[in-house]
Amino acid sequence: MIIVNRMFSGTFLENELGHEAINLFRADNGEHYIYVNPYGIISKQAKDANGVLLLRRLGSHRLEVLGYAAELECLIRDEFFTSKEKIEKRNQGEIEYQKYIIKKYNIRYGGVFLDDIYPFDRQTIYATFKTGKFKKPKDKMYIVTKEDLNSSEENSYYLNLKAKQSLKEYIYDETILARLNEILNNSELWVEEPCEQITDKILKNLSKKENNFLKIIGKENDELAFSNWIAYVLRSDKELFEKFCSEILGFEVSKNVEILREYENIDIYIKDNDKKFAIVLENKIKSDINGIRHDLESDEQKNQLDKYEEKAKKDVSEKNYKLFLSLPNHHKLAKKDVYHGYTVITYKKIYDFFEKQKSEVPFYKEFLVALKDHSREYRNELYDKLNERLCNKIMQKIG
């Protein structure tokens, strides 16, 4: 039997430090402990589980694989499973026992005992298992729970998981176990390496993570805000604009050129007024390509990207136009080189370009911070928040 543990999910984590924050760190004593959501408590049948698969939800029917813990030692005593006492009294006894072993085995993170990191809670124990072996995916790996999504993304594997909302699931079904073990035993997909420990360097980096005012005002995923900001920077620094066109878009700027916003609904439109060329730069953050319709004269499907291309065709002669789609690296289309005739430019490529440049444009540093946030391969704000809270709590305890 294998436990599937869905982490970094739920309204509780919006303001609290979830206990699963320890799952991807080793303790100071070199051992690795796993907390199984929710409450750290498992069934009696699960205490001898073969392993715990650590996942986090990335959207409907899609989870990212974070790691797999095996060679488990259950930290919950047998008395816990057999006791007939009231649940609260039983849990209290187990919590006191765990506090004892935390001190006995010196289970600390960043120099702070595990039970000092988390507030006392009569329902929640501190750790479920000690693990003897841990492995991580070599590359990004995803589990999809809807079969027709299996081939839609590289490194995606279909598993017919039954639980839709529960944070943990016990896998007994032989068919599902066989498929899961096939994935787990594929050495090309995994690397066995210990998780990092919480060092002084990690504490400082995570507790002082850069913020930006788009995040502060709740606009960090706002396509309009990013399109306005990109256009503003390019308009404000002519030399930077010329380099951007040459290195990122692949054309040389003429003198008679304009950078337009929301031109015929196009996010950023670079137009040569002599009608020598046109550039369409459509910017997406979270949304998909919309406006799909069937053309009345054919079966060809047309969407908003088609309409923008048609506009560029009308503006220039000899088909001298280029089409670009800028996407965060965590967008589901970011792995493609070309989509619907548009060259895909990831935010990492855009960030790497701007980060190398020197510019006196106001708010340029803040612009880089905002871009960097979308240059990562994945986005899970709760995961980031928990790591920050964990490190901040440790920093508070050590003074």
Side-chain angles (χ1 to χ4, degrees), residues 367-394:
F367 173 62
L368 292 177
V369 173
L371 283 177
K372 187 178 182 179
D373 201 34
H374 287 294
S375 69
R376 293 177 294 173
E377 294 294 328
Y378 55 85
R379 194 96 190 273
N380 187 301
E381 287 145 3
L382 282 177
Y383 170 72
D384 295 334
K385 287 178 182 176
L386 257 64
N387 279 347
E388 291 170 36
R389 287 178 193 153
L390 176 62
C391 288
N392 281 323
K393 187 66 177 285
I394 292 170

Side-chain angles (χ1 to χ4, degrees), residues 212-356:
N212 66 79
F213 56 72
L214 285 187
K215 186 174 288 187
I216 292 170
I217 64 176
K219 295 290 185 180
E220 68 269 32
N221 297 316
D222 191 297
E223 292 169 5
L224 177 65
F226 272 91
S227 297
N228 281 337
W229 214 348
I230 292 170
Y232 161 75
V233 169
L234 295 178
R235 285 171 178 162
S236 302
D237 190 327
K238 183 179 178 182
E239 182 179 348
L240 186 64
F241 171 56
E242 291 175 353
K243 285 184 179 179
F244 181 81
C245 290
S246 176
E247 296 181 25
I248 302 299
L249 305 183
F251 77 96
E252 301 302 322
V253 177
S254 65
K255 293 181 180 179
N256 194 14
V257 66
E258 289 183 275
I259 304 170
L260 304 174
R261 278 282 294 116
E262 291 298 327
Y263 177 73
E264 303 279 342
N265 294 321
I266 300 170
D267 287 333
I268 298 176
Y269 191 65
I270 302 174
K271 180 184 179 183
D272 182 288
N273 290 321
D274 295 326
K275 295 189 175 183
K276 292 181 179 179
F277 67 83
I279 303 293
V280 173
L281 181 56
E282 184 63 12
N283 184 39
K284 294 292 180 186
I285 302 291
K286 279 190 170 182
S287 63
D288 293 329
I289 309 303
N290 57 37
I292 291 179
R293 65 178 175 83
H294 282 283
D295 189 84
L296 296 177
E297 297 180 0
S298 71
D299 291 331
E300 181 185 3
Q301 283 193 326
K302 294 197 174 184
N303 59 31
Q304 64 182 117
L305 299 184
D306 296 318
K307 291 188 289 184
Y308 302 158
E309 182 178 5
E310 289 172 359
K311 176 58 187 172
K313 282 180 182 179
K314 293 178 182 177
D315 280 353
V316 296
S317 58
E318 298 180 2
K319 205 175 180 179
N320 193 18
Y321 60 87
K322 291 188 176 183
L323 310 170
F324 297 94
L325 186 61
S326 59
L327 300 169
N329 285 58
H330 51 79
H331 196 286
K332 66 182 182 181
L333 297 178
K335 299 284 186 184
K336 298 178 180 291
D337 295 323
V338 177
Y339 179 76
H340 217 82
Y342 282 66
T343 299
V344 172
I345 307 174
T346 64
Y347 265 56
K348 186 176 190 313
K349 185 174 182 179
I350 294 173
Y351 167 77
D352 287 346
F353 166 80
F354 283 116
E355 196 269 337
K356 293 174 184 175

